[in-house]
Amino acid sequence: MMRIPLLLALLLLPLASLQAGPAAENLAAAVRFATISHQDRNQVDEQAFLGLHAFLRETYPQTFAQLEVKVINDFSLVLVWRGSETTAKPVLFTAHMDVVPVEPGTEADWTHPAFDGVIENGVIYGRGTLDDKLGVISLLEAVERLLARSYAPARTVVFAFGHDEEVSGVQGAGEIARYLKEEGFYFDWMVDEGGMMFNDNPLVPGEQVALIGVAEKLYLTLIFRVEGEGGHSSRPPRVTTIGRLAAAVKKVEDNPFPARIVPPIDAMLERMAPHVDFPQSFLFNNLWLSDWLIARIMESNPTTAAFVQTTTALTMFNAGVKENVIPQMAEARINFRLLPGDSAEMVIERVTELVDDPAVKITRAANTARQAPVAQIDGPGFVQVSRAVEAVYPNTLVLPYMLPATTDVRHYLDLADNHYRFHGALIGMEQGAQIHGTDEQLSVASFEKTVDIAVQMIQMGTQP
């Protein structure tokens, strides 16, 4: 047997182990289309979305030839793969093609420019590698592979890819949902973004965990507005508009909502109990006694606080045009993410009582979303997604959880019995901060497994 010289072997080994496959290359290529959602729709680069559409059609020819394809509202896509059993309820998989912009001034903090789609040392860099071109490309890769194997679904499956999830999804998923309803679709269950796998979850040390979202928080923004006397800064009033507004928002920020354990966090903790040490195992198994204590502990940790609180985030503060002019108007926006069971009306009432100042006008920003119900943890959708994870990552602890953010699920509430959230990427907890943040990235190995899980989810979900 010919022996490779040791030096040559050492040189070749990293090249072989870090070489990206076609799936990773396709995700990197998709990243290069700067499909950015802006609050000002006039800033959106429509050609980027059309370019991405053309890329997808070219890259997944069998998918776009054999499935029914519908373009919704110019930039969103729906693909229908008809099953042989017409009486079986279909299933729905969704993801979104748009991404958030890079915060100005942070460009130099990226290892590679956000839209260059670079693969280096086994890592795919760029905006969308986690949120959510990850979902779009993994699902299309899975369909193309299944078609290559002549796979034929028994149950119809629909894929819906919106184009504006990052700015509420009204024009994308909202219009997709309207179209699907007009076409008579009603789904047994659906899977959107919002759940992932983690190898360093602090609640379950030493375990690889898959978090399947069975709930999400309701999104609510309140506008605080103060109008008053303006004029020259040399003759200030006793209380300026900025001062009054600052006092109001400080009262809200200084009085967070009380922590409590709600579904599905209770189910998540109960499933963790056999995998943690005493005293956590006792506490998790006896939530009727210890829920208040666990809520306090989780509240104290920034990583877990959002699971037990309706959160308060002061996100915008606008006032003034010149340093020597007292503004006549000051405005702030506070974004709340509501636990299941909390309502917008309850939040508004509590905030109004805290501020206790009739000069501060509090209004609700336009948002017609409803709170998504908690999906069944023992339902067929959860079971099939769990089985898909276990087929690719054996011995993984699968847990239900609540996504502390909001997804396009809000637009599909009337179209499915159960709504789940999961794309099978395996990442570290700190890596989750790159979603909407700096230096978003995903390993090639993780993405390849994400595609494998997508294949399993589609296969298992489309069986009778």
Side-chain angles (χ1 to χ4, degrees), residues 147-158:
L147 288 170
R149 303 173 194 169
S150 300
Y151 177 77
R155 186 191 300 260
T156 294
V157 57
V158 175

Side-chain angles (χ1 to χ4, degrees), residues 288-309:
W288 62 274
L289 176 67
S290 62
D291 60 347
W292 65 273
L293 176 59
I294 296 171
R296 287 284 187 87
I297 295 171
M298 293 179 70
E299 179 187 19
S300 67
N301 187 329
T303 304
T304 56
F307 293 127
V308 294
Q309 279 183 300

Side-chain angles (χ1 to χ4, degrees), residues 143-392:
V143 174
E144 194 78 2
R145 292 183 188 184
L146 288 168
L147 288 170
R149 303 173 194 169
S150 300
Y151 177 77
R155 186 191 300 260
T156 294
V157 57
V158 175
F159 303 92
F161 304 132
H163 71 273
D164 66 339
E165 189 275 342
E166 300 293 1
V167 287
S168 80
V170 172
Q171 299 299 319
E175 290 300 306
I176 291 173
R178 187 168 67 84
Y179 167 75
L180 293 174
K181 185 177 292 187
E182 290 173 352
E183 292 294 303
F185 280 100
Y186 189 85
F187 301 96
D188 191 15
W189 47 272
M190 68 166 289
V191 181
D192 194 11
E193 64 168 337
M196 287 187 175
M197 302 180 58
F198 297 91
N199 53 23
D200 58 350
N201 189 309
L203 292 176
V204 198
E207 293 275 357
Q208 185 165 283
V209 175
L211 299 178
I212 301 176
V214 296
E216 64 183 46
K217 286 185 160 183
L218 182 65
Y219 183 106
L220 172 69
T221 294
L222 296 183
I223 304 170
F224 291 61
R225 184 182 178 95
V226 176
E227 296 180 358
E229 182 182 351
H232 200 282
S233 63
S234 63
R235 297 184 298 277
R238 184 176 296 276
V239 181
T240 63
T241 54
I242 292 178
R244 188 178 292 275
L245 181 61
V249 298
K250 188 175 190 308
K251 288 179 182 177
V252 178
E253 196 170 47
D254 286 349
N255 290 276
F257 285 78
R260 69 184 196 277
I261 303 295
V262 300
I265 301 303
D266 53 358
M268 180 182 77
L269 295 172
E270 288 169 354
R271 291 195 177 199
M272 284 182 182
H275 303 272
V276 296
D277 296 329
F278 184 85
Q280 290 95 330
S281 57
F282 175 81
L283 295 174
F284 293 175
N285 269 323
N286 294 278
L287 293 176
W288 62 274
L289 176 67
S290 62
D291 60 347
W292 65 273
L293 176 59
I294 296 171
R296 287 284 187 87
I297 295 171
M298 293 179 70
E299 179 187 19
S300 67
N301 187 329
T303 304
T304 56
F307 293 127
V308 294
Q309 279 183 300
T310 286
T311 55
T312 303
L314 176 59
T315 56
M316 299 180 71
F317 203 111
N318 299 311
V321 294
K322 198 171 185 291
E323 66 185 51
N324 63 345
V325 176
I326 297 168
Q328 292 178 270
M329 187 277 294
E331 183 179 284
R333 295 191 177 219
I334 302 182
N335 183 245
F336 301 87
R337 302 299 176 102
L338 280 59
L339 288 177
D342 286 353
S343 67
E345 292 72 24
M346 180 272 289
V347 172
I348 294 170
E349 181 179 356
R350 183 178 189 271
V351 164
T352 302
E353 290 178 357
L354 282 172
V355 171
D356 192 25
D357 185 348
V360 180
K361 306 300 181 185
I362 302 173
T363 58
R364 180 178 180 176
N367 191 319
T368 58
R370 311 193 319 264
Q371 179 69 272
V374 178
Q376 291 180 322
I377 298 171
D378 56 354
F382 192 92
V383 171
Q384 300 291 33
V385 175
S386 300
R387 289 177 57 205
V389 170
E390 291 159 1
V392 178

Side-chain angles (χ1 to χ4, degrees), residues 27 30-31 33 35-37 94-101 110 114-115 126-137 164-167 192-196 403 405-408 423 425 427 431-437 440-442 447:
L27 177 57
V31 165
F33 295 92
T35 52
I36 301 171
S37 274
T94 66
H96 62 90
M97 295 179 282
D98 61 316
V99 298
V100 297
W110 289 69
F115 296 100
R127 181 64 89 214
T129 51
L130 294 175
D131 184 17
D132 182 35
K133 287 175 181 174
L134 160 73
V136 175
I137 301 301
D164 66 339
E165 189 275 342
E166 300 293 1
V167 287
D192 194 11
E193 64 168 337
M196 287 187 175
L403 178 68
T406 308
T407 70
D408 270 339
H423 290 328
I427 64 173
Q431 195 175 347
Q434 296 167 355
I435 298 174
H436 289 199
E440 191 175 343
Q441 59 186 263
L442 180 66
F447 183 64

